[in-house]
């Protein structure tokens, strides 16, 4: 069953996010990760599309391998900043040939794309989504931000823009990572009040260190609850202690989300399997899904 069909039935969906590796060594590590994570029967894996020049095509190439060789259901990320309209049309043709029918459509972040390689046919993800829906046959999703997108003037204003993405054809949404479930549940209420009724998959990632916590707070503007901050400070520099603490924290977060009605979980893996496996095992024991 396609994961979008499964989402409609109310069955929980579990997924993993990968990014295209740059070196042969990292590629080998990613394939080892994919082999491990396959054993957990994810409903899909997604592949980010995060840089300029020829690099975006690594996304499509990796999607093809994960689908053909690993038999995984794949979601290809495509960004407005990395592609022109005609490149998108060409990529879509390629995806269809590879039998990949899932796309996560994003604007992208200007600071991740060199100025001379930035495309400007689309200014916002809603425009890309509308175009992708015209080609037909793709299940298209979009991103959302429980604590608001950093550029948005307010959460309400951001949700009004999000409604435009859903009206353009987004069939599901995946959230930015967050560490306090209250933001997710508040976001769902506000989104429903704005007329958004598509499933919202929470995106989770265990923190791996103090520096990473600082980066996320600064770049993504996500809040860090006191209990998490104290734990990260306590275990910083102790690899095993940090791993256990952050996996336990993310597992508790995941269990509460699923019990509270979240349609599933999207785990940001950073191309590593250990934390994702531990979290899913904990969650499946705790919530029996
Ligand atoms: P949009 O939906 O276009 O929104 C961006 C901002 O513009 C928001 O503040 C919104 O409120 C505002 N806005 C929207 N429409 C309008 C309008 N018509 N007029 C004025 N303002 C408007 N980045 C990558 O580069 N590659 C990836 O693979 C990638 N994957 C991601 C996956 C997930 C699940 C998430 C949450 C993010 C991902 N990102 C990725 C990051 C994303 O590209 C950035 O967060 C980017 O800044 C916004 O993308 P978006 O698709 O949400 O943009």
């Amino acid at each position: 069953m396609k994961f979008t069909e499964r989402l409609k039935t109310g069955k929980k969906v579990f997924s993993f996010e990968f990014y295209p590796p740059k070196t042969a060594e990292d590629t080998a590590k990613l394939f080892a990760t994919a082999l491990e994570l396959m054993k957990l029967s994810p409903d899909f894996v997604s592949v980010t599309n995060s840089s300029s020049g020829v690099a975006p095509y690594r996304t499509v190439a990796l999607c093809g391998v994960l689908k053909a060789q690993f038999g995984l259901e794949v979601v290809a990320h495509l960004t407005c900043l990395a592609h022109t309209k005609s490149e998108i049309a060409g990529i879509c043709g390629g995806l269809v040939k590879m039998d990949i029918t899932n796309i996560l459509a994003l604007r992208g972040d200007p600071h991740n794309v060199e100025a001379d390689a930035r495309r400007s046919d689309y200014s916002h993800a809603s425009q890309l989504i509308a175009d992708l829906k015209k080609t037909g046959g793709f299940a298209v999703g979009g991103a959302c931000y429980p604590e608001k997108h950093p550029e948005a003037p307010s959460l309400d204003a951001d949700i009004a823009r999000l409604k435009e993405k859903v009206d353009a054809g987004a069939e599901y949404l995946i959230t930015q990572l967050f560490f306090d479930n209250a933001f997710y549940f508040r976001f769902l209420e506000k989104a429903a009040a704005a007329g958004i009724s598509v499933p919202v998959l929470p995106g989770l990632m265990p923190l791996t260190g103090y520096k990473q916590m600082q980066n996320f707070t600064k770049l993504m503007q996500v809040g860090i609850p006191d209990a998490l901050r104290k734990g990260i400070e306590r275990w910083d520099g102790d690899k095993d202690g940090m791993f256990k603490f952050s996996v336990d924290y993310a597992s508790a977060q995941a269990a509460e989300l699923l019990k509270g009605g979240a349609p599933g979980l999207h785990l940001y893996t950073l191309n590593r399997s250990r934390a994702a496996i531990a979290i899913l095992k904990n969650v499946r024991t705790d919530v029996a899904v």
Side-chain angles (χ1 to χ4, degrees), residues 17 46-51 59 77-81 104-113 123-127 129 142-145 148-154 157-159 161-162 164-165 173-177 203 266 268:
E17 183 172 297
S46 80
V47 180
T48 65
N49 181 335
S50 56
S51 41
T59 301
H77 295 208
L78 294 181
T79 70
C80 303
L81 288 172
L104 187 69
L106 304 136
R107 183 195 67 181
D109 277 318
H111 62 261
N112 285 336
V113 185
S123 313
H124 300 290
S126 54
Q127 298 161 336
I129 292 169
C144 65
Y145 304 81
K148 93 172 182 62
H149 184 267
E151 292 162 30
S154 67
D158 201 25
I159 288 176
R161 293 301 187 187
L162 184 62
E164 293 172 5
K165 285 205 272 205
L173 300 168
I174 303 182
T175 75
Q176 178 63 284
L177 48 82
H266 182 68
Y268 294 103

Side-chain angles (χ1 to χ4, degrees), residues 105-106 122 124-134 140-143 164-171:
L106 304 136
Y122 305 101
H124 300 290
S126 54
Q127 298 161 336
L128 175 57
I129 292 169
D131 243 20
L132 291 169
K133 288 312 288 181
K134 274 187 228 151
V140 183
E164 293 172 5
K165 285 205 272 205
V166 174
D167 290 345
E171 292 165 51

